[in-house]
Amino acid sequence: MPALSTTLRTAALSIRTAMTAGALTLLVGLGALSVIDGPHPTPDHLGLSVQDKATSRILERNNCSLHGFDPDVIPSTAVIRDSSGRTRVVSFDHGWAVFKKERPGELVAVCLGREQRRQR
């Protein structure tokens, strides 16, 4: 009798494990489908639209990064977009205040400035 009990326990555990794995696979699959089929925001809604040539030139000339630099690299300037949509280069302190919502505008990028080489 003990062998039958062990076999039943093993079978029950195997069935429970298989059902759990199947449920998790289904959940991940449905999640992946919702991401693939979901609406994708346009760059304008991301707040980092740099399609226009003027903004791209500003970012290139000032050695800017949209994602930041290594922790040991200290940016000297920033690019912000003001409420009228104008993009301009400001001091890093000004850009940080915009990022922290202490000043109006939107932080677009942080920059090393014109003289320094870009380090990432």
Side-chain angles (χ1 to χ4, degrees):
M1 272 303 186
L4 182 60
S5 176
T6 303
T7 304
L8 287 175
R9 256 192 247 133
T10 303
L13 181 62
S14 295
I15 291 170
R16 187 177 73 188
T17 302
M19 289 181 70
T20 301
L24 288 174
T25 302
L26 181 62
L27 182 65
V28 169
L30 291 175
L33 283 176
S34 70
V35 169
I36 292 170
D37 290 340
H40 299 288
T42 61
D44 290 335
H45 291 100
L46 293 175
L48 296 176
S49 63
V50 290
Q51 306 92 315
D52 63 71
K53 291 179 183 178
T55 303
S56 294
R57 281 195 304 270
I58 289 172
L59 297 177
E60 286 177 27
R61 276 192 220 132
N62 291 283
N63 298 307
C64 299
S65 171
L66 300 175
H67 308 290
F69 298 100
D70 291 334
D72 60 328
V73 177
I74 301 171
S76 61
T77 59
V79 175
I80 64 165
R81 184 171 296 120
D82 62 23
S83 58
S84 66
R86 197 175 101 211
T87 304
R88 58 194 177 111
V89 179
V90 296
S91 71
F92 176 75
D93 291 336
H94 184 140
W96 188 250
V98 168
F99 175 74
K100 291 174 62 179
K101 307 290 186 212
E102 295 170 356
R103 294 186 86 160
E106 173 187 9
L107 179 65
V108 175
V110 291
C111 311
L112 297 177
R114 289 182 181 231
E115 301 84 40
Q116 299 178 357
R117 281 282 213 225
R118 185 177 184 162
Q119 300 172 5
R120 280 182 57 119

